[in-house]
Amino acid sequence: MAATIDVQVCTDILPPFQLIKGIDLGYNDNYVFDVTANSQYAITSASDNFVRLYDLNTLQLSHTIAAHKERISKMKLKSDQYLFTVSEDFTLKRWDLRTNNAVQVFKYDKPLTAFDVNFNDSMAIVGTEFSTNSQSADLAFYDTRNASILHVFNESHGDDITEIQCHPLLPAQFISCSTDGILNNYDVTEFDEEEAMISAINSGSSVNKAGYFGPNAEYLYCLTHIETFSLHTSEGDVICDFGDIRNIKTTEVDYAIDCSYDPITQRFYLTTGSNSGTVDFFHVNIGQLQHCQQLKVNCGHTDIVRSLYWNHPTQSILTGGEDGRLCAWQGQI
């Protein structure tokens, strides 16, 4: 019998969110992969390999960027000016949103599935698919000043790399995870693959997403493709294993969207979705989740929500789904 997760209802942690605007993106059979925003635009990447910029106030389409020749694996905003995209076309690109031009291209010799750029923008890290030829999935490190390769790790993962996250405070530290079930934590002050490993966490299943949380980003979270959720110290010790989040009984949970840490309140949240388009927010405690808010209205989403961007200071949220809709929500503070 599946274990039931301890879930309490607590509606005073987050304000209620109101749907401000929802638009059909008109992508035909294509759908949104990632959603983010800067001060001017809501930004989407889609399964047609395009990046689109929408006016943040009206959600009217402002610019379309033919970003890549193959699938866009990840998109991340690194400042108000610079957007990065990585693709299975072997490239990581830096886009200047003032001109919508690619101002830097990092090239590798394998399809790229994940990336991040460290907090002081001195190093970019990309992750690859598993190659049967080389019998490895690689982590490649670039100097962002000239897009040259600094080093390559090829023994850390035995399958496709699904996520890379750089530490928000320490420029030489990052984590990577893979469909091999391993979440690795590194310090690459020196590029020695064996010595760089701080910890290796075996999640027991293919890892979907992972990241840092805590006031000094001293903790790690792990979400797997079989919808298990766990918390760990940076040294790899288990803090809490929630198991399968689909065992949550207070609301319909079919999958995890991601986690989000609010540095202002120092609260950590899990966001989940249902196959019918409902999004739920859970405040994460050790051994307990607090169901604190829900996005569900008639003009919202009707299918899986793939991506959620949450601006904590303004309590504004953007969601993108497989229903081809982009929705803007605002916390009623």
Side-chain angles (χ1 to χ4, degrees):
M1 182 177 172
T4 302
I5 299 172
D6 180 12
V7 181
Q8 304 295 318
V9 177
C10 189
T11 56
D12 60 353
I13 294 175
L14 288 175
F17 289 94
Q18 180 181 343
L19 179 67
I20 302 300
K21 195 169 185 61
I23 61 167
D24 288 309
L25 296 171
Y27 293 175
N28 299 318
D29 292 333
N30 296 299
Y31 48 83
V32 176
F33 281 158
D34 285 322
V35 175
T36 188
N38 69 356
S39 61
Q40 190 175 0
Y41 299 113
I43 307 167
T44 67
S45 65
S47 54
D48 60 2
N49 310 330
F50 282 84
V51 168
R52 293 174 176 86
L53 280 60
Y54 299 85
D55 182 278
L56 199 54
N57 295 316
T58 65
L59 294 190
Q60 293 298 305
L61 181 63
S62 298
H63 304 284
T64 301
I65 302 171
H68 290 278
K69 294 185 175 72
E70 301 289 342
R71 183 182 190 270
I72 300 173
S73 304
K74 301 280 182 182
M75 175 182 76
K76 296 179 184 179
L77 189 75
K78 284 301 174 181
S79 68
D80 209 55
Q81 180 181 349
Y82 292 123
L83 179 78
F84 287 83
T85 56
V86 78
S87 168
E88 293 177 2
D89 68 6
F90 302 11
T91 64
L92 167 67
K93 296 181 180 181
R94 182 200 296 260
W95 303 90
D96 188 332
L97 295 178
R98 298 172 302 181
T99 61
N100 299 325
N101 291 325
V103 292
Q104 208 170 25
V105 180
F106 305 82
K107 296 179 181 178
Y108 200 61
D109 60 2
K110 292 178 183 176
L112 302 179
T113 53
F115 84 97
D116 205 1
V117 178
N118 65 352
F119 86 92
N120 63 3
D121 198 357
S122 62
M123 178 176 67
I125 311 167
V126 300
T128 75
E129 289 182 350
F130 179 79
S131 167
T132 53
N133 292 331
S134 64
Q135 288 295 302
S136 69
D138 300 349
L139 291 164
F141 304 86
Y142 292 84
D143 185 331
T144 55
R145 293 171 298 181
N146 52 26
S148 61
I149 290 185
L150 297 167
H151 205 82
V152 175
F153 287 178
N154 54 24
E155 297 179 353
S156 296
H157 288 292
D159 213 333
D160 298 354
I161 294 169
T162 52
E163 183 73 275
I164 295 169
Q165 292 281 349
C166 289
H167 196 285
L169 302 171
L170 302 171
Q173 290 195 16
F174 75 100
I175 59 173
S176 67
C177 60
S178 164
T179 52
D180 66 6
I182 305 298
L183 166 59
N184 289 329
N185 186 16
Y186 313 81
D187 186 321
V188 288
T189 304
E190 303 291 335
F191 287 105
D192 181 312
E193 188 162 6
E194 192 172 323
E195 293 297 321
M197 192 81 69
I198 297 172
S199 63
I201 297 163
N202 188 343
S203 72
S205 179
S206 171
V207 183
N208 183 16
K209 293 182 179 178
Y212 295 94
F213 71 100
N216 298 302
E218 64 269 50
Y219 306 114
L220 306 174
Y221 72 87
C222 179
L223 294 164
T224 72
H225 284 110
I226 60 168
E227 307 304 344
T228 59
F229 175 42
S230 57
L231 310 178
H232 305 264
T233 66
S234 59
E235 289 76 32
D237 298 321
V238 177
I239 299 171
C240 182
D241 187 348
F242 288 97
D244 191 335
I245 61 167
R246 292 170 296 186
N247 293 325
I248 292 171
K249 302 302 182 187
T250 56
T251 186
E252 185 182 1
V253 174
D254 292 316
Y255 56 90
I257 300 172
D258 206 346
C259 292
S260 183
Y261 179 72
D262 183 350
I264 301 167
T265 62
Q266 296 188 357
R267 292 185 188 274
F268 181 56
Y269 297 94
L270 167 70
T271 54
T272 68
S274 74
N275 291 334
S276 58
T278 301
V279 174
D280 287 282
F281 296 80
F282 296 88
H283 178 231
V284 181
N285 294 306
I286 296 176
Q288 183 192 77
L289 301 176
Q290 291 175 298
H291 187 201
C292 51
Q293 207 45 259
Q294 184 177 79
L295 307 182
K296 184 181 182 181
V297 294
N298 288 336
C299 298
H301 291 284
T302 57
D303 206 336
I304 290 170
V305 174
R306 278 185 166 260
S307 183
L308 183 148
Y309 166 77
W310 188 355
N311 185 321
H312 287 284
T314 62
Q315 288 299 347
S316 54
I317 288 173
L318 292 169
T319 52
E322 292 192 6
D323 54 7
R325 287 181 64 75
L326 175 66
C327 293
W329 312 76
Q330 183 58 52
Q332 305 303 294
I333 302 171

